[in-house]
Amino acid sequence: MLVTYNIAVAKLSLEITVSATTPSGQSDNEALREKYQIERDKRFRADGAEQYMEPSGRFADLADDPWVGDVDRDPVTDDVTVALIGGGFSGLCTGAQLQKLGVTDVRIIDGAGDVGGVWYWNRYPGAMCDTAAMVYLPLLEETGYMPSKKYVYGKEIFEHAQRIAKTFDLTDKALFSTQVTSLEWDDASSRWEIKTDRGDHFRARFVAMGTGPMTRPKLPGIPGIESFKGHTFHTARWDYDYTGGDWGGAPMEKLADKRVGIIGTGATAVQCIPGLARDAGELFVFQRTPSSIDVRNNHSIDPDEFAELKPGWQSEWLMNFATLQMGGFTDEDLVKDGWTDIAKRIRDRAVEEMGKTGSEFGPALIAKAYSDSDDEKMNEIRARVDEIVNDPATAEVLKPWYRQLCKRPCFHDEYLQSYNVPTNHLIDTDGKGVERIDETGIWANGTHYELDCIVFASGFEVHLSHTADYETVGRDGLTLSEHWAEGMRSMHGVHVHGFPSLFIEGLSQGARLISNITHNLNDAGKSIAAIVAKALEADATQVEVTEEGERAWMELVDSGPEALLSSPDCTPGYYNNEGQLPTPADRRNAGGYPAGPAAYFDYINTWRSSGKFEGLEFLDD
Ligand code: NDP
């Protein structure tokens, strides 16, 4: 059972929460606005997120774990102090923060065969994080690790996840290749009862859930998809047995005589297409909407400069990055990347406009600065396509015609270049997508492309508020689905009234810093660890947010700008629920601290360090 609290597809906000409003069309450049609208309308589909399908039938095993064999062990029936559901960076960071405060009796439970979360599953060639490693990789100072490059590959990120687990002894009690099937609060014993698909039935005094917003691969519901007789796989379960090569970037020599098709040109496809173009006999890229590809400029980290960093440097870098994302001011830009570039442009333009015209700082000014900066940035991105791609017709269809933050911005120095490889064929569908699939290949634009293999780079079901494969049953039998029927309700995005000693770890209703997800997770981990340590010290049997604490926080979240959603007039995609109008529940799920991520981190730091934990009740018998 997949339990998606609130809505089928929740919306993510803009990657950079630079503005209090999403400008909808304000610009001097009406021709550009019109072009964006035409391109958006071409792609809008009434079936929205329903156009995708869950893997079933011939694809039923698509989400199986290719990285570990069968796991055989006896069921576990014991008591732990803290259960961490999810062994990605949320579980790892929370485990590490608990360890630091002396809470060592923790158990990670994860369906994967190891820690790492998305970095466990996504081993496609070229997988890399678009956020700079100095801020993306958590706990660098604690683990004494220097990232190899400004942006690091997935393998290095996975190894860092393992490093955290090892440094903080987080795997002794862990249950991997194990899905939680039920989570139920027992008020009499003040414990959570946890059952799994391996027959485990154990109890935990506290539970933290970091189940991630993008864990289930989805497929495009293309007619005939099941009829294809060749090989298929999803990027989240790359089939190296079929392709040859490995995660470290070795050539996929088994593709040398193969005709490979790939469906999708989102952030994942952008990263794996250069490797496929290099190694496949012939590659056919089926494009519905081009991604925006900005420069990456990756480089090695200088060990001498790294050695000079003072203790506490990572917190400083994190706050510097978060502050610049909100258009704030800092003495310098420590990360200096595409995320901070666009945010600084908007900020500086707004300030310049105020100086020039005496305009007041506010949503209208920011909206204008946003729109102008975005036009400038997107013109640069389109010009870059012309500079790199040799064939003018191919270059033309690789140009994105939408505001940069309508879709996930990409940064790459080999993607556009790969279209100069003669065996890489871009099949642009002018927004229509693949027509159908038959036994031997793909139909697009009325032409049949015969293929040996189809790679689905079609993304994931995206849920922001909270997703789990099980139901969570709190006090008096109340389920989380019921409590959140009209949208997520919480304090800090972490504490939910009626669900004692339970902590949710995600992005919503807290900082919502989407350009650096691990910052949110590690920070939540610090709060959870502090609360658990205090509860243990005080011998409290339960910790729960009061009804009033949750209500007041929701009032605060609701007072914030709804504009943090990528607006429906953007070209469709999962950022804007495929262009469908947001419901009130969607808005709630996408809400965050009104003053933005940096302000939230300041606020929560004060809240946590005060030791008062206002809004929470520590109960004893
Ligand atoms: P996406 O959902 O972003 O992309 C799916 C792709 O499939 C889109 O290009 C979509 O086109 C295309 N598609 C869907 N149906 C069809 C069809 N019928 N015909 C042709 N094309 C079709 O998934 P990704 O896996 O690329 O990325 C998911 C997210 O994962 C990213 O947005 C990002 O948040 C994260 N990620 C992060 C990375 C990082 O650096 N940290 C790296 C990679 C991914 P259309 O655009 O028209 O809908």
Side-chain angles (χ1 to χ4, degrees):
M1 172 183 54
L2 171 74
V3 179
T4 304
Y5 298 109
N6 296 310
I7 53 168
V9 178
K11 296 168 189 65
L12 295 183
S13 79
L14 301 177
E15 293 272 359
I16 301 174
T17 50
V18 284
S19 138
T21 57
T22 298
S24 48
Q26 305 97 321
S27 166
D28 297 336
N29 193 341
E30 288 308 320
L32 192 57
R33 293 280 84 76
E34 205 175 306
K35 170 79 174 155
Y36 284 7
Q37 189 64 40
I38 290 168
E39 294 296 326
R40 182 256 179 214
D41 292 349
K42 265 184 205 171
R43 290 168 173 82
F44 178 78
R45 291 171 53 139
D47 56 357
E50 298 299 314
Q51 67 182 280
Y52 290 97
M53 57 185 244
E54 277 195 41
S56 60
R58 89 163 259 198
F59 300 108
D61 55 1
L62 180 132
D64 286 357
D65 188 344
W67 319 121
V68 290
D70 280 347
V71 178
D72 193 21
R73 63 166 175 80
D74 292 332
V76 167
T77 51
D78 59 3
D79 273 69
V80 288
T81 306
V82 187
L84 302 169
I85 305 180
F89 279 126
S90 54
L92 290 169
C93 289
T94 306
Q97 300 298 348
L98 284 161
Q99 252 272 4
K100 283 192 200 180
L101 299 184
V103 183
T104 56
D105 183 30
V106 302
R107 166 170 294 145
I108 289 175
I109 309 111
D110 200 303
D114 202 339
V115 295
V118 290
W119 300 107
Y120 172 89
W121 296 111
N122 284 276
R123 302 187 187 196
Y124 58 85
M128 183 180 249
C129 184
D130 281 339
T131 304
M134 295 285 276
V135 287
Y136 182 77
L137 293 183
L139 304 164
L140 285 177
E141 290 190 72
E142 289 87 336
T143 53
Y145 184 65
M146 183 189 85
S148 65
K149 292 196 165 52
K150 179 165 181 172
Y151 302 96
V152 292
Y153 284 101
K155 189 163 186 287
E156 186 168 340
I157 302 173
F158 175 61
E159 284 163 3
H160 186 63
Q162 291 179 312
R163 181 175 299 110
I164 294 173
K166 192 160 178 236
T167 307
F168 295 96
D169 285 330
L170 295 175
T171 51
D172 285 359
K173 289 199 161 186
L175 302 177
F176 292 120
S177 303
T178 301
Q179 300 281 0
V180 170
T181 51
S182 92
L183 179 62
E184 203 161 331
W185 175 250
D186 176 31
D187 214 38
S189 64
S190 295
R191 291 289 183 277
W192 284 98
E193 302 271 345
I194 302 169
K195 294 183 186 161
T196 78
D197 63 351
R198 292 190 173 273
D200 308 305
H201 183 175
F202 61 96
R203 304 187 324 156
R205 191 159 165 187
F206 305 93
V207 172
M209 299 203 281
T211 44
M214 282 195 227
T215 49
R216 295 167 71 94
K218 69 179 193 235
L219 291 172
I222 298 169
I225 188 170
E226 302 229 358
S227 65
F228 184 61
K229 293 265 193 280
H231 197 70
T232 56
F233 58 89
H234 190 278
T235 48
R237 305 288 187 276
W238 196 270
D239 189 349
Y240 284 106
D241 285 344
Y242 179 83
T243 64
D246 63 27
W247 196 11
M252 295 177 279
E253 75 287 347
K254 293 187 187 170
L255 293 183
D257 60 350
K258 298 281 190 300
R259 290 168 62 88
V260 178
I262 179 165
I263 297 179
T265 48
T268 297
V270 164
Q271 294 183 338
C272 67
I273 283 171
L276 285 173
R278 181 194 63 192
D279 298 335
E282 300 279 337
L283 177 66
F284 298 85
V285 177
F286 295 89
Q287 172 178 274
R288 188 164 68 179
T289 311
S291 282
S292 75
I293 317 291
D294 206 350
V295 67
R296 181 188 283 290
N297 274 340
N298 204 3
H299 58 77
S300 299
I301 301 290
D302 181 339
D304 295 333
E305 283 179 21
F306 191 81
E308 278 171 23
L309 293 167
K310 305 267 180 298
W313 70 266
Q314 201 180 21
S315 300
E316 192 194 333
W317 280 54
L318 286 165
M319 281 309 282
N320 181 276
F321 188 70
T323 302
L324 287 169
Q325 300 295 285
M326 271 304 287
F329 290 88
T330 57
D331 288 343
E332 61 177 317
D333 177 0
L334 292 167
V335 172
K336 286 190 214 71
D337 69 353
W339 303 114
T340 56
D341 176 53
I342 181 82
K344 282 190 301 182
R345 280 185 202 220
I346 296 163
R347 180 200 67 189
D348 294 347
R349 219 177 254 272
V351 170
E352 192 187 313
E353 188 74 9
M354 282 164 74
K356 264 202 315 223
T357 62
S359 314
E360 263 191 41
F361 188 82
L365 180 73
I366 294 283
K368 170 93 171 64
Y370 175 97
S371 192
D372 291 347
S373 306
D374 190 73
D375 289 352
E376 180 183 86
K377 168 58 87 180
M378 291 306 282
N379 284 337
E380 285 171 18
I381 280 172
R382 288 185 285 265
R384 184 166 180 259
V385 181
D386 282 328
E387 277 160 31
I388 294 172
V389 178
N390 296 337
D391 175 43
T394 305
E396 206 45 44
V397 292
L398 281 167
K399 291 179 189 167
W401 295 100
Y402 46 82
R403 293 193 302 273
Q404 190 188 30
L405 301 173
C406 282
K407 282 189 174 269
R408 210 221 192 237
C410 299
F411 308 91
H412 215 284
D413 294 339
E414 288 103 42
Y415 175 71
L416 293 170
Q417 291 79 348
S418 78
Y419 292 99
N420 295 333
V421 175
T423 47
N424 183 9
H425 314 284
L426 179 64
I427 314 300
D428 180 62
T429 60
D430 195 25
K432 291 187 282 296
V434 164
E435 267 162 38
R436 64 193 163 91
I437 296 178
D438 67 11
E439 291 188 2
T440 57
I442 288 181
W443 286 86
N445 309 325
T447 302
H448 182 256
Y449 297 88
E450 201 166 314
L451 300 168
D452 297 302
C453 168
I454 300 176
V455 180
F456 294 107
S458 44
F460 303 86
E461 288 176 20
V462 179
H463 311 277
L464 196 58
S465 55
H466 183 67
T467 316
D469 287 324
Y470 53 87
E471 184 57 276
T472 302
V473 185
R475 180 176 287 124
D476 301 327
L478 178 71
T479 67
L480 207 44
S481 304
E482 287 160 357
H483 188 59
W484 286 356
E486 283 165 22
M488 179 178 174
R489 300 184 54 78
S490 75
M491 184 173 87
H492 306 162
V494 175
H495 316 281
V496 186
H497 183 66
F499 298 81
S501 309
L502 178 78
F503 311 104
I504 311 284
E505 294 183 84
L507 304 181
S508 284
Q509 301 183 358
R512 299 200 78 254
L513 178 61
I514 294 190
S515 51
N516 191 13
I517 288 174
T518 54
H519 188 173
N520 306 264
L521 303 177
N522 193 34
D523 195 81
K526 284 183 193 169
S527 298
I528 294 166
I531 294 160
V532 168
K534 163 146 177 163
L536 293 175
E537 188 191 302
D539 221 7
T541 51
Q542 302 182 14
V543 184
E544 188 181 355
V545 59
T546 61
E547 203 168 358
E548 170 55 20
E550 185 181 275
R551 193 201 54 74
W553 190 258
M554 290 321 302
E555 215 168 86
L556 182 73
V557 169
D558 289 346
S559 72
E562 70 177 61
L564 296 180
L565 300 172
S566 169
S567 69
D569 70 353
C570 266
T571 194
Y574 79 84
Y575 267 28
N576 70 346
N577 198 15
E578 305 294 339
Q580 312 286 327
L581 283 174
T583 64
D586 294 344
R587 293 204 176 94
R588 272 248 157 118
N589 298 341
Y593 191 65
Y600 176 81
F601 291 129
D602 280 339
Y603 156 80
I604 202 75
N605 192 31
T606 309
W607 180 86
R608 189 167 56 221
S609 338
S610 76
K612 292 189 198 140
F613 303 107
E614 255 171 73
L616 295 184
E617 248 178 344
F618 292 76
L619 306 178
D620 47 35
D621 290 331

